């Protein structure tokens, strides 16, 4: 039986968001580790800054609340638990495309998160398996999937999210340029995947001369455009 | 089975369940209107069916499903079985599963029940009985499929030591059948109502393993009586067969339930025109109605001119005067089933009712005799089930056997063995809290 190469609009949307949420889990954990490290010195401003960079503020009144909330609070869309659940919500609908094996890394992560939550585990090293399985997820995507369009959509989602997080946390331009070029490379066979007007705007904003994440107008503009670039 | 194998299987229980969790082996349930996904508990000690028993079951199942397919063709065409007085008219036309819209439609290869799930129990005397035929959307094959894949990895010695028929061919059987009825018209799809269907895991797993495309409501369109799978940029790929996991009444809002958002507008016209195969066919409910069940052995004689190999559980229809009198006189020792219900609902054991409730039930039977059937309670064989500590207890268990029909009718050498959640219950449905076992069909 010939497997269809056609990807429906709904499926394309889920693949894109699967890539985004998987990357968001990885990046949030990565950034949280840095934030928790700073918090050792007892400066509450460290976690408040982290929180505000994700466009949120004021939900947690103590560092302990913040630690628990950022990991397990299912009412906080930026918590690791919520992001994992969003990744799963998409992945579970894509089993036949991404394979049970790829999906299993998300399932294991959710089970592990629940076990850690039940133990009120706030030591972030306990979540190292989430990072490891996240990397295994990507390994499985690249090694086990054979439909290039599916890989393209997941990776484009991943890189959009990656750039979004890099800009929020003022990363240097070189990191962004590489990810942006990769988005274009993965999208080259899908001529209508990008909004060409937005693409032109980003092309002019993403240059070493113009890159200025400390300028809030610039930052807000590129965040808006990067999130509107892909049409799925 | 060798002791070493038993010990390995007992020890593997938690490990196997962990692997099931890893692969997201779940089913959905609605409780008080809230959807929840839960793991389907797996008991690692298998049900074992001897080669002799399986040879008998395989023959009987093939015979039964062939007769049921012939019945469906007859009902939607010549209706000879009614004209010859074998099945009373009202049992056909009063059935909720009868679809007048299917009159005269010619499904590819004349197959209606491409996938039949036949529920059986083994009595304590070793006699097997058919409890129910499921010809609409029988579910459950994916669980033993994945369980076997996992248990072979976790306890290879159990399979090395025993001559167990390999059951990992179900996806191949499905794929072959889909190709048989597709006739190279286009791609094969599995149509799911979506994630909030109780069997969604199965839909997605079967799509993965067969290579079919999993389609959601909205992915399929019909133009000029041809069904297409629509891509991101409205590109269209023709569909040749649809293994649909959407109920008849929701399949086409232009023909059936107009409010349905789950179906494919216009698919019935495409189906009538012979441009797409529907797996299973629409209208099969008329043959797996609990009332029609009574007549299946008669169908075997009528269509195949053979003695039925498989036995029904002793069943009484209040429609017949003799049975009506028997039921009312013996209601406290019978199990009464509402023909309109499924999934373990609408099943009442007379011996569990108070005298007042028995009288109420009798009144219902008197007022609506066509709505009910009554069966003797079969004292079926208990199987040992282990808890998480490895302690055993006995539970009622049934077997859903799967029969796949395309160019030929094949019986899957496996099945879904479901067991009741508590020791006193006869209800084994997963929706009622039960678990499942692997089913070992022995090669010698």
């Amino acid at each position: 039986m010939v497997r269809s190469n056609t990807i429906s609009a709904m499926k394309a949307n889920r693949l894109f968001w699967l890539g985004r949420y998987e990357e968001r889990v990885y990046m949030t954990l990565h950034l949280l580790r840095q934030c928790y490290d700073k918090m050792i010195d007892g400066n509450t401003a460290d976690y408040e800054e982290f929180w505000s960079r994700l466009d949120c503020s004021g939900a947690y009144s103590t560092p302990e609340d913040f630690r628990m909330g950022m990991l397990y609070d299912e009412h906080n869309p930026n918590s690791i638990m919520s992001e994992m659940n969003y990744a799963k919500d998409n992945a579970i609908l894509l089993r036949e495309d991404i394979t049970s094996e790829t999906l299993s890394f998300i399932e294991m992560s959710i089970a592990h998160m629940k076990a850690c939550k039940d133990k009120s585990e706030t030591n972030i090293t306990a979540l190292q398996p989430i990072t490891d399985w996240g990397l295994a997820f990507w390994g499985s995507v690249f090694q086990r999937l054979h439909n290039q369009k599916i890989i393209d959509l997941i990776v484009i989602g991943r890189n959009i999210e990656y750039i979004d997080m890099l800009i929020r946390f003022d990363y240097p331009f070189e990191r962004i340029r590489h990810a942006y070029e990769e988005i274009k490379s993965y999208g080259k066979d899908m001529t209508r995947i990008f909004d060409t007007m937005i693409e032109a705007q980003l092309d002019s904003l993403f240059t070493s001369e113009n890159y200025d994440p400390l300028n809030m107008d610039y930052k807000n503009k590129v965040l808006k455009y990067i999130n509107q670039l892909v049409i799925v | 089975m060798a002791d070493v194998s038993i010990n390995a299987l007992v020890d593997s229980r938690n490990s196997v369940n962990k692997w099931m969790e890893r692969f997201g082996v779940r089913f959905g349930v609605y409780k008080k209107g809230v959807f929840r996904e839960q793991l389907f508990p797996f008991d690692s000690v298998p049900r074992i069916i001897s080669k002799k028993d399986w040879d008998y079951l395989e023959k009987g199942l093939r015979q039964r499903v062939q007769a049921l397919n012939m019945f469906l063709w007859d009902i939607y065409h010549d209706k000879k079985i009614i004209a010859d007085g074998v099945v009373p008219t009202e049992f056909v036309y009063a059935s909720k599963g009868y679809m007048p819209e299917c009159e005269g439609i010619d499904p590819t290869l004349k197959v209606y029940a491409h996938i039949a799930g036949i529920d059986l129990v083994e009595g304590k005397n070793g006699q097997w009985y058919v409890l129910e035929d499921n010809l609409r959307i029988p579910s459950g094959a994916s669980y033993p499929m994945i369980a076997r894949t996992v248990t072979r990895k976790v306890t290879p010695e159990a399979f090395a030591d025993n001559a167990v028929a390999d059951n990992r061919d179900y996806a191949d059987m499905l794929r072959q059948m889909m190709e048989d009825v597709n006739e190279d018209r286009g791609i094969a799809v599995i149509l799911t109502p979506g994630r909030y269907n109780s069997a969604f895991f199965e839909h997605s797993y079967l799509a993965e393993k067969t290579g079919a495309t999993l389609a959601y409501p909205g992915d399929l369109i019909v133009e000029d009586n041809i069904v297409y799978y629509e891509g991101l940029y409205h590109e269209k790929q023709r569909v040749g067969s649809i293994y649909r996991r959407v109920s008849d009444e929701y399949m086409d809002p232009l023909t059936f339930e107009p409010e349905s958002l789950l179906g494919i507008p216009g698919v019935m016209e495409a189906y009538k025109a012979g441009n797409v195969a529907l797996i299973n066919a629409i209208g099969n409910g008329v043959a797996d109605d609990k009332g029609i069940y009574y007549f299946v052995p008669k169908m075997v004689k009528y269509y195949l001119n053979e003695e039925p190999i498989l036995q029904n559980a002793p069943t009484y229809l209040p429609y017949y005067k003799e049975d009506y009198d028997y039921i009312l006189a013996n209601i406290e020792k019978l199990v009464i089933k509402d023909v309109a219900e499924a999934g373990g609902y609408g099943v009442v054991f007379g011996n569990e009712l108070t005298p007042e409730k028995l009288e109420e039930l009798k009144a219902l039977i008197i007022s609506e005799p066509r709505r009910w059937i009554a069966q003797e309670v079969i004292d079926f064989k208990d199987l040992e089930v282990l808890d998480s500590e490895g302690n055993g207890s006995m539970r009622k268990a049934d077997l859903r056997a799967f029969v796949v029909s395309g160019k030929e009718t094949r019986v899957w050498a496996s099945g879904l063995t479901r067991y009741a959640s508590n020791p006193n219950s006869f209800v084994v449905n997963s929706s009622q809290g039960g678990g499942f076992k692997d089913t070992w069909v022995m090669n010698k």
Side-chain angles (χ1 to χ4, degrees):
Chain A
M1 190 158 58
V2 180
R3 191 180 276 274
S4 168
N5 275 328
T6 305
I7 295 176
S8 71
M10 269 189 289
K11 193 173 279 186
N13 184 277
R14 288 174 191 138
L15 288 163
F16 173 77
W17 282 101
L18 170 61
R20 285 200 70 154
Y21 282 118
E22 255 312 292
E23 181 61 12
R24 184 166 268 248
V25 168
Y26 183 86
M27 283 299 288
T28 308
L29 267 173
H30 174 69
L31 294 163
L32 270 176
R33 280 190 206 99
Q34 296 177 2
C35 178
Y36 285 5
D37 180 73
K38 285 185 188 170
M39 286 167 68
I40 292 170
D41 303 324
N43 186 352
T44 54
D46 290 328
Y47 79 80
E48 284 167 358
E49 184 198 345
F50 180 94
W51 196 225
S52 69
R53 282 177 187 270
L54 295 173
D55 293 336
C56 307
S57 62
Y60 304 115
S61 55
T62 67
E64 289 68 33
D65 285 350
F66 173 76
R67 280 198 187 90
M68 276 297 284
M70 277 308 298
L71 298 181
Y72 309 117
D73 182 356
E74 293 187 51
H75 299 293
N76 169 8
N78 294 303
S79 74
I80 303 295
M81 183 69 101
S82 293
E83 291 164 358
M84 280 301 334
N85 282 331
Y86 298 143
K88 183 188 160 188
D89 285 345
N90 288 286
I92 206 167
L93 301 169
L94 295 163
R95 181 190 293 270
E96 86 283 10
D97 291 309
I98 65 171
T99 74
S100 288
E101 186 182 3
T102 311
L103 174 61
S104 73
F105 297 113
I106 295 177
E107 292 280 1
M108 284 193 291
S109 298
I110 300 250
H112 184 71
M113 286 294 296
K114 284 180 179 163
C116 287
K117 183 183 182 185
D118 290 344
K119 288 189 282 187
S120 299
E121 180 62 76
T122 56
N123 188 325
I124 201 160
T125 59
L127 298 191
Q128 185 58 35
I130 309 295
T131 297
D132 297 343
W133 288 325
L135 293 171
F137 169 89
W138 288 109
S140 188
V141 166
F142 289 113
Q143 193 69 24
R144 302 276 176 237
L145 307 193
H146 305 296
N147 182 335
Q148 190 56 45
K149 277 192 215 165
I150 285 171
I151 298 171
D152 292 346
L153 283 159
I154 304 179
V155 175
I156 288 170
R158 179 189 73 178
N159 282 21
I160 294 282
E161 190 62 38
Y162 183 53
I163 292 173
D164 177 289
M165 293 292 267
L166 293 180
I167 293 169
R168 287 176 188 277
F169 286 85
D170 305 336
Y171 272 71
F173 178 62
E174 278 312 304
R175 300 278 290 274
I176 288 164
R177 182 167 67 185
H178 177 73
Y180 186 58
E181 284 169 359
E182 206 172 58
I183 287 174
K184 292 200 168 195
S185 166
Y186 277 91
K188 70 179 188 307
D189 293 329
M190 289 183 278
T191 48
R192 285 176 280 178
I193 191 90
F194 301 130
D195 182 320
T196 50
M197 286 175 65
I198 299 278
E199 188 181 4
Q201 294 280 352
L202 282 171
D203 286 349
S204 68
L205 289 165
F206 282 155
T207 63
S208 50
E209 299 77 36
N210 291 337
Y211 186 67
D212 186 11
L214 299 178
N215 176 332
M216 284 311 288
D217 285 343
Y218 174 89
K219 183 181 262 188
N220 289 335
K221 200 184 278 183
V222 290
L223 278 173
K224 181 177 148 195
Y225 288 153
I226 198 69
N227 282 288
Q228 292 177 348
L229 175 63
V230 175
I231 305 167
V232 286
Chain B
M1 193 170 30
D3 285 349
V4 172
S5 304
I6 294 174
N7 291 339
L9 286 164
V10 169
D11 291 347
S12 74
R13 185 187 189 279
N14 293 338
S15 177
V16 172
N17 274 299
K18 205 80 188 151
W19 276 90
M20 299 284 198
E21 182 182 44
R22 175 184 176 129
F23 287 122
V25 183
R26 295 192 181 83
F27 67 96
V29 281
Y30 283 92
K31 280 198 176 140
K32 294 177 182 163
V34 178
F35 177 80
R36 269 191 327 126
E37 282 178 329
Q38 57 193 53
L39 296 170
F40 195 2
F42 174 71
D43 186 76
S44 54
V45 177
R47 154 178 262 153
I48 294 173
I49 301 178
S50 68
K51 178 167 171 25
K52 182 169 164 251
D53 269 15
W54 185 253
D55 288 347
Y56 158 80
L57 288 173
E58 187 179 24
K59 243 197 232 169
L61 287 161
R62 192 181 293 122
Q63 179 196 57
R64 190 172 177 102
V65 171
Q66 282 171 346
L68 285 162
N69 268 313
M70 293 170 86
F71 172 73
L72 282 159
W73 173 271
D74 189 17
I75 288 304
Y76 289 114
H77 292 82
D78 306 331
K79 300 167 186 53
K80 285 182 185 160
I81 200 164
I82 298 174
D84 289 340
V86 179
V87 177
T89 311
E90 48 270 62
F91 275 84
V92 174
Y93 298 117
S95 165
K96 275 170 75 177
Y98 168 72
M99 295 281 180
E101 298 85 351
C102 297
E103 283 290 342
I105 295 179
D106 296 338
T108 311
L109 303 174
K110 291 190 174 182
V111 176
Y112 283 78
H114 309 83
I115 301 154
I118 311 296
D119 291 348
L120 302 126
V121 291
E122 185 183 9
K124 282 196 170 141
N125 57 0
Q127 175 65 53
W128 289 87
Y129 298 95
V130 175
L131 280 191
E132 201 169 282
D133 304 292
N134 296 278
L135 308 179
R136 283 170 280 186
I137 311 175
S139 65
S142 59
Y143 300 106
M145 278 171 82
I146 196 161
R148 180 67 63 83
T149 304
V150 169
T151 50
R152 280 181 68 96
K153 283 180 188 150
V154 175
T155 54
E157 62 274 33
F159 293 90
D161 294 348
N162 296 285
V164 185
D166 196 343
N167 74 348
R168 291 171 298 167
D169 58 350
Y170 187 70
D172 292 335
M173 288 168 68
L174 276 187
R175 191 184 303 117
Q176 184 59 56
M177 176 273 290
M178 284 193 260
E179 277 179 15
D180 288 349
V181 298
N182 190 315
E183 298 184 324
D184 294 328
R185 285 179 290 227
I187 61 167
V189 303
I190 296 178
L191 175 65
T192 175
R195 182 183 173 178
Y196 297 109
N197 182 274
S198 60
F200 178 74
F201 161 75
E202 172 152 304
H203 307 165
S204 62
Y205 188 69
L206 292 179
E208 180 190 4
K209 296 303 169 194
T210 59
T213 298
L214 189 63
Y216 293 83
D219 287 345
L220 301 177
I221 56 167
V222 179
E223 288 177 4
D224 299 326
N225 289 344
I226 307 282
V227 183
Y228 296 99
Y229 181 72
E230 190 174 36
L232 175 58
Y233 301 117
H234 305 293
E235 68 274 28
K236 291 178 289 190
Q237 190 162 19
R238 185 167 174 185
V239 174
S241 58
I242 303 171
Y243 174 13
R244 50 96 185 190
R245 303 293 299 244
V246 170
S247 302
D248 288 5
E249 60 272 34
Y250 300 113
M251 268 301 283
D252 185 348
L254 301 183
T255 303
F256 304 113
E257 174 55 55
E259 303 286 309
S260 171
L261 299 174
L262 301 178
I264 313 157
V267 74
M268 279 301 283
E269 289 304 313
Y271 176 50
K272 276 183 201 168
N275 291 334
V276 70
L278 294 182
I279 302 163
N280 285 339
I282 306 274
N284 284 6
V286 68
D288 70 5
D289 182 295
K290 287 188 174 74
I292 290 291
Y293 159 89
Y294 176 89
F295 298 99
V296 178
K298 295 177 193 290
M299 287 175 204
V300 171
K301 279 188 194 160
Y302 182 76
Y303 292 116
L304 301 172
N305 198 25
E306 294 171 8
E307 282 303 312
I309 296 167
L310 295 178
Q311 289 187 24
N312 275 4
T315 303
Y316 307 96
L317 289 186
Y319 171 84
Y320 293 118
K321 177 74 175 80
E322 194 182 335
D323 286 6
Y324 176 90
D325 291 341
Y326 179 82
I327 293 165
L328 294 184
N330 295 281
I331 194 162
E332 70 285 351
K333 64 171 195 171
L334 298 172
V335 51
I336 313 295
K337 295 182 176 178
D338 184 339
V339 298
E341 297 282 358
Y345 296 97
V347 177
V348 182
F349 289 83
N351 61 7
E352 292 175 357
L353 297 182
T354 61
E356 294 76 32
K357 289 283 175 196
L358 275 175
E359 286 308 312
E360 283 175 27
L361 183 58
K362 277 186 189 175
L364 282 171
I365 293 169
I366 290 165
S367 65
E368 293 181 89
R370 168 68 185 87
R371 187 178 153 189
W372 309 93
I373 64 167
Q375 290 175 329
E376 300 289 351
V377 177
I378 295 178
D379 193 10
F380 52 94
K381 198 183 258 182
D382 290 354
L383 297 179
E384 188 175 31
V385 171
L386 302 175
D387 65 17
S388 56
E389 308 299 318
N391 302 312
S393 61
M394 304 308 281
R395 299 290 160 80
K396 299 292 177 206
D398 76 349
L399 170 69
R400 174 166 290 181
F402 291 89
V403 184
V404 179
S405 301
K407 282 182 182 162
E408 55 181 318
T409 297
R410 297 171 65 194
V411 182
W412 186 34
S414 184
L416 176 67
T417 293
R418 300 175 296 181
Y419 59 84
S421 60
N422 68 65
N424 302 317
S425 175
F426 279 76
V427 181
V428 297
N429 301 69
S430 53
S431 55
Q432 308 288 317
F436 79 106
K437 286 172 169 285
D438 194 1
T439 305
W440 284 12
V441 171
M442 305 310 285
N443 276 332
K444 54 186 179 187

